[in-house]
Amino acid sequence: AVGGAIVARQGLAEWPTERLAGLSAAWMRWLLARGHDQEAAEQARAEALAAVLATLESPVGRWLLHAHPQSAAEQAWSSREGDLAVHHVIDRIFVADGCRWIVDYKTVRLPEAELVRRAESHRPQLERYAGLFADDPLPLRLAIYFPLQGRLVELPAMAGTG
């Protein structure tokens, strides 16, 4: 998600796929500095590079990172639940085609047949995010993006909602 956030903030024009090769060593240093051992850092670096590359090469990935109106990446939001302040970080949010999209990224290696079920398992998280926009007049669309597969899975509205 962090790689996608950087691309979204800087703009697709700043991120030709050739740029990724030059970042590999920097990402490795960053991971090692955060306490990952060599093997774990190498695995995380490889996953991050694969996810960003797949996103940049995917039409849907590029659409998600496009500079849409009211777009943000890795944006922090807060809400109140009783006396508690609850903090949320939304991977990607934007307005397109008259709808507000709320998208969460999940970097997992799963067979295509399992992606819809996995996306559905994250419905509670996305519905919490959707609750932040309860007064928004725009229709909400909730989705999970699987960057390694280049696949966006939209969660259908539950019966009696939207």
Side-chain angles (χ1 to χ4, degrees), residues 120 123 127 155-162:
E120 189 61 43
R123 181 181 290 277
E127 287 184 346
L155 298 177
M158 298 295 286
T161 65

Side-chain angles (χ1 to χ4, degrees), residues 116-117 119-128 130-131 140-143 154-162:
V116 171
R117 186 171 46 83
E120 189 61 43
S121 75
H122 295 287
R123 181 181 290 277
Q125 173 189 5
L126 286 169
E127 287 184 346
R128 280 193 311 275
L140 289 175
R141 296 180 76 175
L142 308 177
E154 186 173 355
L155 298 177
M158 298 295 286
T161 65

Side-chain angles (χ1 to χ4, degrees), residues 102-118:
I102 298 174
V103 180
D104 199 61
Y105 302 150
K106 299 297 179 192
T107 307
V108 295
R109 292 190 183 276
L110 291 173
E112 176 73 22
E114 293 183 33
L115 294 180
V116 171
R117 186 171 46 83
R118 177 60 69 95

